[in-house]
Amino acid sequence: MEESKEAKTSLVTQQKGELLSKQSIVSRSVVKNLIRDAIEAMNKAYTPYSRFQVGAALLTKDQKIYTGCNIENVSYTPTICAERTAFFKAVSEGEKRFAAIAIVGGKNGVITDYCPPCGVCRQVLREFADPKSFLVILAKSENDYLLYFLEELLPMGFGPEHL
Ligand code: THU
């Protein structure tokens, strides 16, 4: 029941089979927890300039979760995205092995669409995550989300192995 509802809501842009095969990498309940944590983090965003709030919840391979929100700055360029906040929190705590990240966002914290990561964040993900297995979860709610491998969002990315 739960599964079919989830498959239907995500079918808009993602094939059912594709979603379910990716779903086998991270369980439905873990995905739900990540989305819940991402929404909680989004509510802590500091966004006086854009009012666009983003939240991220990063899952390590040891099943630990690190959250992040975007933090803006009056000088604009020092602004940091939610995804990078989550990654830098985790890496600064000694984490190096990651499985997935859930991302949510919306103007004034109201989620009306999926919030894809910016190019800079995709590159930061590429530094620490395996493009073929790391899952990016773009969510509108706990029951409405899309699953992507990092490789799909950053094809032919430049990674640590190239240097
Ligand atoms: N933002 C993120 O936090 N993550 C993204 O991947 C896209 C953009 C933030 C940065 C800025 O505070 C606001 O959204 C508007 O660009």
Side-chain angles (χ1 to χ4, degrees):
M1 179 66 178
E2 182 87 298
E3 288 293 326
S4 68
K5 185 176 161 203
E6 160 225 324
K8 199 162 56 187
T9 49
S10 297
L11 259 175
V12 186
T13 52
Q14 200 158 41
Q15 294 296 309
K16 184 180 172 187
E18 193 189 337
L19 178 77
L20 293 179
S21 72
K22 285 173 183 165
Q23 185 76 80
S24 66
I25 296 171
V26 184
S27 78
R28 172 90 186 94
S29 68
V30 170
V31 170
K32 253 186 153 178
N33 284 344
L34 283 173
I35 295 170
R36 193 175 307 139
D37 286 358
I39 292 171
E40 214 176 291
M42 178 186 72
N43 291 325
K44 297 188 178 122
Y46 176 75
T47 57
Y49 308 106
S50 76
R51 303 271 169 209
F52 193 85
Q53 297 181 222
V54 183
L58 175 65
L59 179 71
T60 71
K61 287 192 174 169
D62 302 329
Q63 308 296 302
K64 270 196 264 171
I65 296 176
Y66 290 84
T67 60
C69 62
N70 52 334
I71 304 167
E72 298 187 342
N73 189 276
V74 64
S75 186
Y76 292 12
T77 54
T79 292
I80 187 158
C81 293
E83 300 90 322
R84 276 177 288 149
T85 303
F87 259 93
F88 296 159
K89 277 171 69 179
V91 174
S92 67
E93 294 296 323
E95 303 289 353
K96 292 273 185 327
R97 298 170 64 246
F98 302 103
I101 191 169
I103 306 165
V104 296
K107 198 91 180 171
N108 297 312
V110 180
I111 303 168
T112 56
D113 202 354
Y114 304 109
C115 180
C118 79
V120 173
C121 286
R122 290 178 203 211
Q123 184 62 35
V124 169
L125 261 60
R126 184 66 174 77
E127 185 70 26
F128 298 105
D130 171 22
K132 290 194 188 305
S133 63
F134 183 85
L135 274 182
V136 179
I137 304 158
L138 304 184
K140 283 202 222 172
S141 72
E142 283 174 31
N143 293 311
D144 183 346
Y145 55 85
L146 302 172
L147 301 179
Y148 293 97
F149 286 123
L150 175 57
E151 191 178 46
E152 296 176 274
L153 300 182
L154 190 67
M156 242 182 127
F158 185 63
E161 73 278 11
H162 290 110
L163 210 59

